[in-house]
Amino acid sequence: MINKVKTLSRSECQEMMTSWIDSKGDILPFVDSDYTVIREDIGKIYQDASDSWDISYGRHDYFVDVIFGLKLYNYLNSQSWFSLRVASNTDFWRYLSVAVVPHIVSNRWGLDNEDHYWKRPMRIWLRSLWWYVHFSWCNSIKETKTLLLKPMFSTDTILNIVERSGKNGTNIELYRDILQTYSNFSMDVISKYKARGLKETDLFRAIMKLNTAKIIVTEPNLCMDGVHGYVSLLCDDLNIRL
Amino acid sequence: MSQTIPLFPTFNEDAKSDVFKLEEYVFTYKRDDEIIELIQESDDTGLRTEAALSDETGYWNPDEYPLCVNRKIRIIKAAHLFSTGEPSPDALYAIACHDATIGLALKWYSAESNQCGAIPIGTITNTTRNTEFTINYNFDKASIRGEIFFKIILYIYRSGKPNDYERHFANTPGTVLGEIDTFAVRIDGNGSFFPIYEIDKPGEPLWDVKCTWTDAASDPFSDCVSIFINKAHKNYKYLNREDARNFNTQLFSEIMSSAICVIVETLRSEENSLSSLENAQEGSVAQAVSYFREKLDWNIKSSQLTSRSVRLFFEEKFKKL
């Protein structure tokens, strides 16, 4: 039973990463018995996620990211010591990535791709997966999985949703509605947007950019019909019919 | 947000005392059916805009107890905020047309919690007077951390039917018409500004400073700036605060000043960094330097002026020690 959530500061990460890279990924950092269990557990769920991919699904990296992300989300949320407070603590994700399971991060991003281990908070892989699931959550693992494996979502979506999180915190209800709404567009509507030859050819990016501008003067929760009403306004502005 | 130019009339602070009477925020939590008020500790003198929360009874911690935000807001006379329907030199503070409904809401945001939200408080029309609204909002247990900002905002709740003299007012529900005030609360982390660490490295200098940010406008100051004091150095005793006999305030002040100059100059060497400090995220490196310039009144136009400002500041600060 872990009494205290473990964290690593930026400078501590720098030192530990140097040892990790020097050892060419052969020597895992020392962790206590509680975290050794976590290391094994996360290792197993990553293996399960990897094994569940089949060539018929296509897009290997995104598929494994989603399945692993969902399992990691479920696993951490079931730990008594984990909470939204822990999830928003970047130094916790640093500890997990650099001290506990660097070998798994290495598998996905390479031995020394430091941004995804600790350097850029929004790019820490484990962190971005947990928040991707949280920002897209719809009532159950099953429903969220169905949503995230729809064809219009990709690793670019993870980038746009997580890495461009609001500088002063994110409106979770809003992001969930944006993703739900977007998932209901036909691929036809989405590709037609690309074909218009506008500066921003990606409809999802266009919605996110417009949101950044609009949210300065309009508060989503306070619109007529609340957050969904606000998202409808965004779509109206882009001439997309819901 | 400070760079946005509104295209419609927004709330004017001068109207505040004519329209609203706002009590202070009260932060509470519930333990065994009892509601306990948290102490607000603040460095501010006079008009308080921020505070750190603590519990006299020693029980409260954000992991176990939900935080409750309370505030009473009285509307004295709302008519000042509405147009009369005719051009009037007296309607200086009008922000909505005569028959619209304005809403009040509590907007909260926290970069450290990666969350934000807005909670409706009440609505007013041009006839509202002597009405009281009460905020009583509970955060989920273990959901927020660090510093949380609270703003009371005004917005269009229900559109009116603007006549020819009112077309310039905002009229779409959800449009924010301005804010009445802002208050920041810190629930953990001591918010200490200067991340000073002790290291033990024989052969190395007495002190060092490391700047490890990649994006000054969003990377946290406390994460990406480190000042190291070397315990292994022969002159460490002059910087050891626990060694009352040898601790030397002048030396400490000198090192802090030099370290901060390095930080400012490193930022200056990054293209455009010093000219766009206002848009930076709360708690970021750029925001910290903006704080030095705006709140502490430092002149950072050149490295010489920075050096002088910093040293003047620390001389004043350490005079009291």
Side-chain angles (χ1 to χ4, degrees), chain A residues 123-169:
Chain A
R123 287 213 178 146
I124 295 170
W125 179 54
L126 297 177
R127 182 195 177 281
S128 70
L129 291 184
W130 190 93
W131 283 95
Y132 185 49
V133 175
H134 194 64
F135 284 156
S136 57
W137 185 253
C138 23
N139 302 318
S140 69
I141 294 275
K142 191 168 174 207
E143 284 171 74
T144 311
K145 178 180 170 182
T146 308
L147 174 79
L148 293 181
L149 288 179
K150 284 193 165 186
M152 65 281 290
F153 296 125
S154 67
T155 47
D156 270 353
T157 322
I158 303 182
L159 212 133
N160 280 304
I161 277 279
V162 177
E163 293 189 26
R164 299 205 171 95
S165 291
K167 280 189 167 190
N168 285 315

Side-chain angles (χ1 to χ4, degrees), chain B residues 58-97:
Chain B
Y59 278 97
W60 187 73
N61 68 76
D63 285 308
E64 285 174 63
Y65 299 98
L67 177 71
C68 186
V69 187
N70 307 277
R71 194 179 195 187
K72 284 198 171 66
I73 299 175
R74 172 165 282 282
I75 314 297
I76 305 168
K77 184 177 174 188
H80 297 295
L81 299 179
F82 294 86
S83 147
T84 54
E86 283 151 37
S88 166
D90 297 324
L92 289 171
Y93 305 129
I95 51 176
C97 53

Side-chain angles (χ1 to χ4, degrees), chain A residues 165-170, chain B residues 108-111 114-116 149 280-282:
Chain A
S165 291
K167 280 189 167 190
N168 285 315
T170 301
Chain B
W108 66 273
Y109 56 94
S110 169
N114 199 13
Q115 294 160 73
C116 67
F149 290 83
Q281 189 172 338
E282 293 289 342

Side-chain angles (χ1 to χ4, degrees), chain A residues 63-234:
Chain A
F63 182 88
V64 176
D65 274 354
V66 169
I67 303 300
F68 175 52
L70 288 162
K71 288 178 187 287
L72 183 70
Y73 188 79
N74 196 41
Y75 174 75
L76 288 173
N77 287 5
S78 61
Q79 305 299 314
S80 60
W81 49 267
F82 189 81
S83 66
L84 203 45
R85 271 170 60 79
V86 178
S88 48
N89 188 344
T90 307
D91 287 351
F92 161 74
W93 295 108
R94 286 185 170 127
Y95 183 75
L96 214 58
S97 307
V98 177
V100 185
V101 292
H103 53 307
I104 297 179
V105 183
S106 174
N107 202 277
R108 175 66 172 89
W109 290 102
L111 184 70
D112 57 2
N113 196 329
E114 292 185 88
D115 282 359
H116 294 283
Y117 285 83
W118 66 273
K119 215 168 192 176
R120 304 202 75 144
M122 301 298 152
R123 287 213 178 146
I124 295 170
W125 179 54
L126 297 177
R127 182 195 177 281
S128 70
L129 291 184
W130 190 93
W131 283 95
Y132 185 49
V133 175
H134 194 64
F135 284 156
S136 57
W137 185 253
C138 23
N139 302 318
S140 69
I141 294 275
K142 191 168 174 207
E143 284 171 74
T144 311
K145 178 180 170 182
T146 308
L147 174 79
L148 293 181
L149 288 179
K150 284 193 165 186
M152 65 281 290
F153 296 125
S154 67
T155 47
D156 270 353
T157 322
I158 303 182
L159 212 133
N160 280 304
I161 277 279
V162 177
E163 293 189 26
R164 299 205 171 95
S165 291
K167 280 189 167 190
N168 285 315
T170 301
N171 186 325
I172 293 173
E173 213 188 314
L174 172 65
Y175 274 29
R176 286 177 180 170
D177 197 283
I178 289 177
L179 282 164
Q180 273 290 345
T181 305
Y182 192 73
S183 75
N184 290 326
F185 293 155
S186 66
M187 291 308 285
D188 193 51
V189 162
I190 293 171
S191 54
K192 271 204 175 84
Y193 192 83
K194 279 185 162 65
R196 261 192 229 168
L198 298 166
K199 190 179 176 202
E200 183 51 78
T201 55
D202 184 298
L203 178 56
F204 193 77
R205 271 175 57 103
I207 294 173
M208 295 303 281
K209 275 187 177 175
L210 185 59
N211 172 54
T212 306
K214 205 176 183 70
I215 211 161
I216 296 172
V217 281
T218 311
E219 189 52 54
N221 294 67
L222 305 173
C223 285
M224 189 105 81
D225 302 326
V227 162
H228 190 67
Y230 172 83
V231 176
S232 309
L233 290 177
L234 288 180

Side-chain angles (χ1 to χ4, degrees), chain B residues 158-293:
Chain B
R158 189 181 296 126
S159 305
K161 288 190 178 60
N163 63 32
D164 289 335
Y165 302 110
E166 297 175 321
R167 303 218 186 279
H168 59 296
F169 291 115
N171 201 32
T172 311
T175 308
V176 177
L177 304 168
E179 57 188 70
I180 303 174
D181 61 20
T182 305
F183 192 76
V185 134
R186 175 158 284 284
I187 61 170
D188 48 7
N190 54 14
S192 74
F193 228 17
F194 295 113
I196 304 175
Y197 302 101
E198 296 205 324
I199 52 169
D200 201 311
K201 296 216 158 122
E204 296 266 310
L206 179 58
W207 70 276
D208 194 10
V209 59
K210 279 198 164 40
C211 304
T212 58
W213 63 81
T214 27
D215 177 9
S218 60
D219 291 346
F221 182 90
S222 50
D223 244 13
C224 306
V225 169
S226 314
I227 299 172
F228 298 104
I229 308 287
N230 188 0
K231 284 188 347 194
H233 194 276
K234 69 176 183 340
N235 289 322
Y236 167 72
K237 59 180 182 278
Y238 302 117
L239 298 176
N240 183 4
R241 292 185 123 148
E242 320 225 327
D243 185 346
R245 219 163 55 107
N246 289 307
F247 180 74
N248 187 307
T249 24
Q250 189 67 56
L251 180 63
F252 187 73
S253 156
E254 190 49 42
I255 288 171
M256 288 303 297
S257 304
S258 301
I260 292 171
C261 284
V262 169
I263 294 162
V264 175
E265 294 315 310
T266 307
L267 198 60
R268 196 195 303 283
S269 67
E270 290 171 9
E271 213 180 297
N272 293 327
S273 285
L274 284 186
S275 51
S276 57
L277 292 178
E278 304 81 30
N279 298 325
Q281 189 172 338
E282 293 289 342
S284 67
V285 176
Q287 200 254 343
V289 177
S290 173
Y291 177 86
F292 298 153
R293 188 175 62 187

